[in-house]
Amino acid sequence: MMKLVTFTGIGTAVHFQPVTRSFSNMGHDGARRRFPGFLPQAQSLSNRLSPRDAVRFELRAGDLISLKSVFGDQNGVMTAFDERGQPALDKLGLTADGDLDAETFDAAAMIGWVRANGGSDIGGWPAVAVTADDITVFRATGPCTVWVICPAAINALISGAQVGQLDVSVTPVNQSSPVLPPPLGEVRDEFTVKRGTGVAYEVQPGEIVQIIDIEGQQCSDFVALRTDALERGAEREIDTTATRTMVRSAYPGPGLFDKFVDRDLNPMMRLVQDTCGRHDTFGLACTARGYEDRGFPGHVNCSDNISHALSPFGVERRPAWAAINFFWNTWVDHASHHLMTEESHSRPGDYVALRATDRLVCVSTACPDDLDPINGWNPTDVHVRIYRPDAAIRRAVAYREKEDAPMSISEHSAFEPETSK
């Protein structure tokens, strides 16, 4: 397919040669990972915006951001702010052609962000409309926060008028650093779990933990214990069998059956968002014994990493931990009842977000297994973000229209305010 690329610099536009974009099932090799049919993660981070969506990106000097209309001649709207929440469209070489209309998109997240960063939350933000029938690219001349909006009037959606979507991609100037999805809200803390390691952290009631697969196809074992039980000298962690029984599924999903519970059937965490939808609650975190039996004594393993991370909290060491194995692609064969496994379904930037219902001590690992296909034969890092309880993060799942399409996040229906009661 031939695409005309328009590059927008500082107040100027230069037309490059047409670019051919083709899909191949033979695979695409990146620096650290091979994704059959998908672009390497280090190249860019892509999102697909549905009508009335708004997404935030943190850009540095030299970073590129591009827009492309999908399914119709859908124009985008862009606005930018500096670290004090003040308008900064000049950091993209743009001049505003009007004010942003908050009635044309779901503005709650943006208003909250502007307010939290010291800007005006009563509107009047300078914005610029972007014609996105061709790929349009902008380069940041300095650090800024950019909001990209796919505007649509509510009446247009109700009447069934044709409204398109927007593909938005960000390519960092420093591609050696991890490319992470935009934050879901105000981040209290974040850190990277290096491959083959585990990190323990504490969360408070209502806080949301987001576990991000940076490179894709990387499993992350997760354990959570009740802090009040630890203070009494007891250990009450997420029980995988009890959770499967209560939710009537292999693992919880956003919605009614969203709870991880302990052996006393008390909820511990609720699944808020899941962009992969393929995890494991059957097997143990990898163990020293498991590697020894396959001829690799002394191989680093998640169970020992979990025990080591929890030792400062007085938790007894275990040779094997029953963990939630996020992004581990497992299933039970319906004919033989064997536990099956294959390469993970997770893509670069996929994540799960869980809300704590109590004070918890948690551990996240970046699985070191390089003997099986579960980590794509190449263990990589995992990133963890912790959000404050008042972060406006809705329950949602991800979907893709085709194999190599950018990820889209589901929206609440018009009935959600009433049915959620």
Side-chain angles (χ1 to χ4, degrees):
M1 182 180 298
M2 305 299 287
K3 301 290 185 183
L4 180 62
V5 177
T6 303
F7 182 87
T8 303
I10 304 179
T12 61
V14 180
H15 294 282
F16 286 99
Q17 296 295 322
V19 175
T20 300
R21 166 75 168 87
S22 61
F23 175 77
S24 170
N25 283 321
M26 293 303 293
H28 217 91
D29 291 327
R32 303 177 185 175
R33 172 75 74 228
R34 182 168 186 259
F35 285 98
F38 303 105
L39 294 177
Q41 179 267 351
Q43 178 171 319
S44 65
L45 177 69
S46 298
N47 289 75
R48 176 158 293 175
L49 275 62
S50 297
R52 299 184 62 81
D53 272 356
V55 64
R56 170 168 61 100
F57 297 98
E58 303 292 338
L59 301 186
R60 297 164 298 175
D63 288 354
L64 303 178
I65 183 169
S66 67
L67 281 69
K68 174 69 177 72
S69 177
V70 183
F71 307 135
D73 297 330
Q74 176 65 42
N75 292 335
V77 175
M78 296 177 62
T79 186
F81 301 91
D82 60 20
E83 67 278 1
R84 297 175 293 108
Q86 302 303 310
L89 275 174
D90 59 306
K91 296 291 183 65
L92 295 173
L94 296 173
T95 301
D97 55 14
D99 290 341
L100 185 60
D101 184 359
E103 297 297 323
T104 62
F105 70 105
D106 297 325
M110 178 178 163
I111 292 173
W113 181 90
V114 174
R115 181 189 299 120
N117 286 271
S120 171
D121 60 357
I122 59 175
W125 307 294
V128 60
V130 179
T131 302
D133 51 344
D134 298 322
I135 300 176
T136 307
V137 183
F138 303 90
R139 174 183 283 127
T141 61
C144 59
T145 299
V146 177
W147 286 85
V148 181
I149 295 103
C150 183
I154 294 178
N155 290 339
L157 299 182
I158 295 174
S159 64
Q162 182 179 6
V163 181
Q165 296 175 304
L166 284 177
D167 278 353
V168 183
S169 297
V170 170
T171 303
V173 63
N174 180 15
Q175 296 192 2
S176 62
S177 61
V179 182
L180 299 171
L184 302 174
E186 184 181 356
V187 178
R188 174 178 71 79
D189 191 18
E190 63 179 317
F191 49 88
T192 297
V193 183
K194 295 298 183 181
R195 64 178 182 174
T197 67
V199 176
Y201 49 96
E202 298 182 73
V203 296
Q204 301 301 316
E207 290 187 331
I208 291 179
V209 177
Q210 183 188 26
I211 300 166
I212 304 169
D213 184 357
I214 301 175
E215 297 281 348
Q217 292 188 307
Q218 171 61 43
C219 298
S220 177
D221 288 308
F222 177 80
V223 170
L225 299 96
R226 291 187 179 278
T227 304
D228 59 351
L230 291 176
E231 292 171 347
R232 298 193 306 268
E235 296 179 5
R236 291 293 184 272
E237 69 272 13
I238 291 176
D239 188 290
T240 53
T241 302
T243 296
R244 291 195 304 269
T245 302
M246 295 302 291
V247 304
R248 293 290 193 265
S249 180
Y251 40 81
L256 185 60
F257 297 101
D258 61 356
K259 300 170 186 65
F260 289 95
V261 301
D262 63 13
R263 70 188 191 192
D264 299 323
L265 305 185
N266 294 316
M268 296 181 63
M269 304 201 81
R270 303 183 66 181
L271 195 56
V272 180
Q273 290 193 11
D274 183 356
T275 69
C276 177
R278 192 78 176 181
H279 313 285
D280 169 78
T281 64
F282 292 100
L284 298 169
C286 61
T287 64
R289 172 68 179 273
Y291 290 111
E292 291 167 2
D293 287 351
R294 288 181 286 175
F296 293 88
H299 196 293
V300 63
N301 64 89
C302 286
S303 287
D304 285 347
N305 285 340
I306 292 171
S307 292
H308 179 72
L310 289 174
S311 59
F313 298 92
V315 178
E316 185 176 355
R317 296 185 65 88
R318 305 181 190 181
W321 278 91
I324 310 301
N325 303 292
F326 288 124
F327 314 119
W328 187 10
N329 175 20
T330 62
W331 69 96
V332 177
D333 181 73
H334 72 280
S336 66
H337 288 211
H338 287 173
L339 185 62
M340 312 295 288
T341 184
E342 248 306 339
E343 289 193 23
S344 172
H345 285 194
S346 61
R347 316 278 178 83
D350 271 351
Y351 62 84
V352 291
L354 309 98
R355 186 184 298 274
T357 61
D358 207 339
R359 290 189 300 143
L360 302 174
V361 175
C362 304
V363 178
S364 289
T365 74
C367 180
D369 192 337
D370 53 1
L371 310 180
D372 295 301
I374 63 174
N375 293 319
W377 307 103
N378 183 20
T380 51
D381 300 342
V382 169
H383 196 79
V384 177
R385 287 175 175 150
I386 303 174
Y387 298 93
R388 301 188 184 279
D390 55 355
I393 302 175
R394 68 179 186 274
R395 290 184 293 184
V397 295
Y399 59 94
R400 293 173 172 88
E401 287 80 1
K402 57 178 294 188
E403 292 89 344
D404 61 343
M407 178 179 68
S408 297
I409 297 293
S410 61
E411 296 282 352
H412 284 160
S413 74
F415 307 102
E416 191 273 339
E418 293 301 318
T419 58
S420 63
K421 296 178 182 178

